[in-house]
Amino acid sequence: MGCKMNAAVSIWRRLSLFVLVSSLCSCPCRAEDSAMENIVTEKKAEESHRQDSADLLVFILLLTLTILTIWLFKHRRFRFLHETGLAMIYGLLVGVVLRYAIHVPSDMNNVTLSCNVNASPATLLVNVSGKFYEYTLKGEISANDVDDIQDNEMLRKVTFDPEVFFNILLPPIIFHAGYSLKQRHFFRNLGSILAYAFVGTVVSCFIIGLFMYGCVMLMKQIGHMGGDFFFTDCLFFGAIVSATDPVTVLAIFNELQVDADLYALLFGESVLNDAVAVVLSSSIVAYQPEGDNTHTFEAMAMLKSFGIFLGVFSGSFALGVATGVVTALISFNFTKLRDFPLLETALFFLMSWSTFLLAEACGFTGVVAVLFCGMTQAHYTFNNLSPESQDRTKQLFELLNFLAENFIFSYMGLTLFTFHNHVFNPIFIVGAFLAVFLGRAANIYPLSFLLNLGRRNKISSNFQHMMMFAGLRGAMTFALSIRDTATYARQMMFSTTLLVVFFTVWICGGGTTQMLSCQKIRGLFNIGPDGVERRSTKHESAWFFRIWYNFDHNYLKPILTHSGPPLNATLPACCGPLARCLTSPQAYENEEQLKDSDSDLILNDGDITLSYGDVTVSTDAAGAHTSGTPVGGVAVNSDEALDRELAFGDHELVIRGTRLVLPMDDSEPPLPLDSHRHRHKNETMS
C-alpha cells in the first residue's frame, strides 16, 4: 500500500513539473503573439485615423472650393446657379472619383464566415483563441460587393450617420430661419402663411401619396417591384417631399429686393412647412392598426395618428417658446452678464442648441422646438443682450447656417455615388416628379383663391405662379429620407428624393431670374397701380396680430425685456407696486425712446395725428378719421391724405403730445423731387 502511495506521489510530481515546464516554455510564445497583435492593432488605429482625417479634409476642400466659386459668381453677377447647386455639383464630382477612380488594396487578413441567424444583431462578440472581440453592425452588403470589402469600407466612412444631420447640422439651419425672420412681414401675412404651411402641406402629402400609390400598383402589375411598398410608405414619401426649401429663390429675392410680401409668403411657408412635414412623417410612421395586417385602413388608428400630430406639434411649440422665454428671463435678470459678452454669447448658443436636444429627448420634434425658440429669442432675448453679443449671435448663427447648408448639399452629391443601396426605378421616378408638381399646384392655387376672398391685398396670379415655381426641395427632405434606409421602400424613396432635389435646385433655382422676368415681378418695392409704393395700413394687418401686438407691447415686453413702456404706464393704478417690481430700471431710462421693431405695422395706439404738410389727419381708437384744411384752402379727403402719407418714407406722428419721426420700412425709397419741394414749401410757410 505504501509503495502504491509513493508511486502515485512520484507520478503527480512529475506531471506537475511537466505542466510547469510546458507553461514556462509557452509563455514567451504567447507574449510575443500578444505583442505582435498590439502592434497590428495600433497600426490599424493609426491608418483609420489618417483615413478619417482625409475624409474630413475632402469635405473641407469642397466647402472651400464652393466659397471661392460663390465669390466668383457674385463678382460676375451670375444668377443662373446658386451656391447650393454648386456644392451639389462638386459633391457629385468627388463622389465619382471616390467610387470609380480610387481602389483600396484588399486585406489578406479579412475572413468571411457564414452563420445562419434569424436577425442581424447590432453587436457581435467573437471568440478568437480565448479572447473576445466586439463587432458592431455597419449595414447590409450585397452579394456582389463581398469581394470589394475594402472599397466599401472607404465609401462607408464618407457616409455619415443620419443622426449627425439631425443633431448637429440641422439645428443651426432651423434656428437661423426663426432667428432671422422678419416679423413685420411674417405677421402681416400670418393667416396666409399658416394656411399654406398647415393645410397646404397636408393636402400636398395626400395628393402625392395617392398618386404614388397608383404608380406602385402599376409597378406591381408589370413586375417591376422588388419588395414591399404599402400605402403608408407612399404617404410617408408624400410627407417628406412636401417640405420645401426655396433657399436659392429666396437668396435671389433678397439680392434683387423683390416684393416683401412675396418674400414673406415663401419664406414663412418654407419655415413652417418643414416643421409640419417632420411631425406629419412621424405621425404616419406611428400609424398602427390593430390586428395582423398593420397596413389596412382603420379609423381609430388614423385618429390616433392625428392626435399624435397635434400633441407632438403643440408640445414642441410650447417647449420651444418656453425655452426662449427662459433665456429672456435669464438675460433680463442677470444684467451683470452683459459685462462679459463672450460668456453671454456662449450661454445663448448652448441654450438655443439644447432646445433641439431637449425636445428630441422628450419625444417631441426638435425642428419645431428650435424654430419657435429662435423666433422667441429674436423677439425678446435679443433686446436684453449687449450690443457686442447681439452682433456675435447674428454672425455666429449666420455662419453656422451657411456652412451646414452647403455641407449638406455637397454631401447630397456625394451620396449619389457613395451610397450602396440605391434603388432607381424609372416608373417611380417619373411618377414622383409628376406627383410633386401636382401636390404643389394643389397647395398653391386653390388656397390662394380661398385666401383672396378675405384679403385686401390680393395674392396676384403672377405671385401664385412664382410660388408654384419656387417649391424647391432641399436639406429637410434629404434629412428625412436618409434617416431610415433599412427597407426596400425607404431605399427607393431616398434614391428618388435625391433626383427630385437635384432637379428643383438646378432647374427651378437656376431659372428664378428668368421666371421673375416672365411674370413681370419687378421692383425694389410693392408698387401700386398709381405708381406709388403701397403699404399696409392698420386695417390690412392681420386682426390677430393687432390684438397680439397690443398685449405683447404693453405687458410681455416690459416683463421680459428692457424695452417697451414701463408697466406702471400700462397696468391699472392699483397694480403700481407690482408694476415697479417687474419693470427693470433700464425700461424707465428708455421710456422716451421707441424700442419696438413692430410699431411701424399698425397705428392703433389711442389717438394718433399725422401731419402731412399743412394737412392734419387724426385717428381715434375706433379708426375714424378727421382732417384739417390746407393753407391754400383746398379741402383734402382724410382717407386720401392718410394713404398719401403712408405712401412715403418718413412720417411725423403726434402721439400723446410727443412728435416722433417713424420710418415705415427697413429701407425707404427716395422721395420724388416734387414731394421734396412740397414739403420744403410747407415747412417754410409753417
Side-chain angles (χ1 to χ4, degrees):
M1 186 69 180
C3 294
K4 290 183 179 180
M5 287 292 296
N6 292 334
V9 171
S10 178
I11 294 173
W12 174 253
R13 288 177 178 175
R14 291 178 183 178
L15 183 59
S16 300
L17 182 62
F18 174 77
V19 171
L20 178 61
V21 172
S22 300
S23 61
L24 290 175
C25 293
S26 61
C27 281
C29 297
R30 291 183 180 179
E32 291 178 1
D33 292 341
S34 179
M36 290 296 296
E37 196 171 309
N38 291 335
I39 293 175
V40 171
T41 302
E42 291 177 359
K43 286 186 177 181
K44 287 184 177 181
E46 185 178 355
E47 291 177 0
S48 178
H49 171 72
R50 291 180 179 177
Q51 181 65 42
D52 293 339
S53 300
D55 295 338
L56 291 177
L57 180 62
V58 168
F59 287 103
I60 297 298
L61 293 178
L62 276 175
L63 291 177
T64 304
L65 187 60
T66 302
I67 291 172
L68 293 177
T69 313
I70 291 170
W71 170 82
L72 179 63
F73 275 44
K74 289 184 179 294
H75 181 68
R76 300 293 183 181
R77 297 186 181 274
F78 294 150
R79 297 192 181 98
F80 61 88
L81 189 62
H82 189 251
E83 58 201 44
T84 54
L86 282 172
M88 292 168 65
I89 292 176
Y90 290 141
L92 283 171
L93 296 177
V94 173
V96 170
V97 173
L98 293 177
R99 182 65 182 267
Y100 300 107
I102 298 178
H103 294 283
V104 179
S106 59
D107 190 354
M108 300 300 296
N109 294 325
N110 288 332
V111 178
T112 302
L113 299 176
S114 298
C115 182
N116 295 325
V117 292
N118 296 327
S120 55
T123 303
L124 189 65
L125 295 178
V126 179
N127 185 354
V128 180
S129 301
K131 291 185 177 181
F132 289 90
Y133 297 89
E134 181 181 2
Y135 292 84
T136 57
L137 180 66
K138 290 188 176 181
E140 182 183 0
I141 298 176
S142 62
N144 299 326
D145 296 333
V146 173
D147 295 333
D148 300 328
I149 189 68
Q150 292 300 115
D151 289 342
N152 295 338
E153 179 67 19
M154 180 195 65
L155 296 177
R156 194 178 292 109
K157 281 195 173 185
V158 297
T159 304
F160 288 95
D161 188 343
E163 294 303 317
V164 172
F165 289 95
F166 265 82
N167 294 330
I168 297 179
L169 297 178
L170 210 55
I173 296 176
I174 303 300
F175 181 85
H176 179 263
Y179 196 60
S180 62
L181 184 69
K182 292 185 177 180
Q183 297 180 19
R184 70 179 64 183
H185 303 303
F186 178 83
F187 284 105
R188 181 190 299 171
N189 300 276
L190 180 63
S192 301
I193 291 173
L194 292 177
Y196 287 127
F198 283 87
V199 180
T201 303
V202 174
V203 169
S204 175
C205 169
F206 278 90
I207 292 293
I208 295 174
L210 290 171
F211 191 89
M212 294 310 300
Y213 188 65
C215 294
V216 168
M217 292 294 100
L218 176 62
M219 293 163 59
K220 289 182 178 179
Q221 290 292 331
I222 62 177
H224 279 204
M225 184 65 65
D228 294 331
F229 211 113
F230 302 101
F231 179 63
T232 52
D233 295 324
C234 297
L235 286 181
F236 180 82
F237 180 74
I240 63 176
V241 297
S242 294
T244 59
D245 186 16
V247 57
T248 304
V249 178
L250 293 176
I252 296 175
F253 279 11
N254 191 40
E255 186 176 352
L256 298 179
Q257 292 294 306
V258 177
D259 184 88
D261 286 336
L262 177 60
Y263 185 96
L265 287 173
L266 269 177
F267 184 72
E269 181 213 359
S270 67
V271 166
L272 288 181
N273 92 329
D274 282 353
V276 173
V278 172
V279 183
L280 187 60
S281 61
S282 61
S283 302
I284 294 172
V285 172
Y287 176 78
Q288 291 292 338
E290 296 180 358
D292 296 334
N293 191 354
T294 58
H295 298 281
T296 58
F297 175 77
E298 187 177 282
M300 289 302 298
M302 187 183 70
L303 291 176
K304 182 180 178 181
S305 296
F306 182 71
I308 292 174
F309 173 83
L310 294 180
V312 171
F313 193 93
S314 58
S316 304
F317 168 80
L319 182 61
V321 172
T323 309
V325 170
V326 168
T327 57
L329 290 174
I330 291 177
S331 59
F332 179 79
N333 293 310
F334 292 93
T335 54
K336 296 298 183 180
L337 196 62
R338 294 164 57 93
D339 298 335
F340 304 94
L342 180 61
L343 300 180
E344 190 179 30
T345 305
L347 182 63
F348 182 90
F349 173 79
L350 293 176
M351 294 199 67
S352 304
W353 204 306
S354 63
T355 304
F356 184 93
L357 301 177
L358 178 62
E360 292 289 335
C362 294
F364 297 120
T365 300
V367 172
V368 179
V370 78
L371 170 64
F372 287 100
C373 175
M375 295 174 64
T376 306
Q377 289 182 339
H379 193 61
Y380 297 114
T381 313
F382 183 81
N383 294 321
N384 297 335
L385 300 177
S386 62
E388 294 85 354
S389 296
Q390 290 179 350
D391 294 336
R392 285 181 177 181
T393 54
K394 288 193 296 185
Q395 294 172 1
L396 173 63
F397 283 105
E398 185 178 5
L399 175 64
L400 291 177
N401 169 74
F402 174 81
L403 292 177
E405 201 162 56
N406 282 277
F407 183 91
I408 289 178
F409 277 93
S410 63
Y411 184 74
M412 287 185 198
L414 194 69
T415 52
L416 187 63
F417 293 97
T418 58
F419 185 70
H420 275 276
N421 298 319
H422 278 303
V423 178
F424 293 104
N425 190 296
I427 298 177
F428 192 86
I429 293 171
V430 174
F433 277 94
L434 294 176
V436 168
F437 176 81
L438 292 176
R440 185 65 179 170
N443 180 352
I444 298 299
Y445 295 115
L447 284 180
S448 299
F449 173 77
L450 296 176
L451 291 171
N452 281 337
L453 297 178
R455 283 178 62 104
R456 291 178 178 267
N457 184 17
K458 307 297 183 184
I459 304 175
S460 60
S461 58
N462 59 345
F463 279 18
Q464 296 178 35
H465 298 329
M466 193 67 227
M467 293 178 67
M468 169 72 189
F469 184 81
L472 281 67
R473 272 62 179 176
M476 181 59 66
T477 300
F478 174 77
L480 289 174
S481 62
I482 200 176
R483 198 171 191 181
D484 182 9
T485 57
T487 63
Y488 172 83
R490 297 298 177 88
Q491 292 167 4
M492 185 183 294
M493 291 182 206
F494 174 67
S495 303
T496 307
T497 298
L498 280 179
L499 299 182
V500 171
V501 174
F502 290 161
F503 179 85
T504 55
V505 171
W506 287 337
I507 305 301
C508 298
T512 300
T513 306
Q514 291 76 14
M515 188 65 179
L516 288 172
S517 301
C518 179
Q519 296 299 321
K520 298 181 180 179
I521 300 176
R522 298 283 184 184
L524 196 55
F525 304 99
N526 188 5
I527 305 300
D530 55 353
V532 179
E533 183 191 356
R534 188 187 180 285
R535 300 181 185 274
S536 296
T537 63
K538 72 170 187 175
H539 298 290
E540 296 183 5
S541 300
W543 63 269
F544 173 77
F545 178 53
R546 294 200 299 271
I547 297 174
W548 163 253
Y549 168 79
N550 289 327
F551 178 75
D552 175 66
H553 180 264
N554 294 331
Y555 304 108
L556 291 184
K557 275 202 169 181
I559 294 176
L560 298 177
T561 69
H562 301 301
S563 63
L567 285 175
N568 54 10
T570 58
L571 289 176
C574 60
C575 301
L578 179 64
R580 288 190 295 271
C581 178
L582 295 178
T583 304
S584 67
Q586 288 84 351
Y588 293 105
E589 297 174 2
N590 301 331
E591 184 176 2
E592 299 298 329
Q593 301 178 10
L594 187 62
K595 286 282 188 177
D596 188 24
S597 61
D598 298 325
S599 59
D600 57 344
L601 261 178
I602 53 178
L603 305 175
N604 59 353
D605 191 12
D607 294 332
I608 298 177
T609 301
L610 293 106
S611 299
Y612 182 80
D614 297 316
V615 181
T616 301
V617 181
S618 299
T619 62
D620 55 18
H625 305 312
T626 59
S627 63
T629 305
V631 175
V634 181
V636 180
N637 182 273
S638 61
D639 292 332
E640 293 179 358
L642 180 60
D643 292 339
R644 186 177 181 183
E645 177 64 25
L646 290 175
F648 295 102
D650 294 337
H651 306 268
E652 294 179 353
L653 275 73
V654 181
I655 305 177
R656 299 189 182 93
T658 304
R659 180 174 296 273
L660 301 173
V661 178
L662 279 179
M664 290 297 290
D665 208 342
D666 294 333
S667 56
E668 301 295 340
L671 290 174
L673 184 59
D674 293 338
S675 299
H676 282 293
R677 291 174 179 173
H678 180 64
R679 176 172 292 184
H680 178 69
K681 179 181 177 181
N682 291 331
E683 290 175 354
T684 303
M685 294 178 63
S686 59

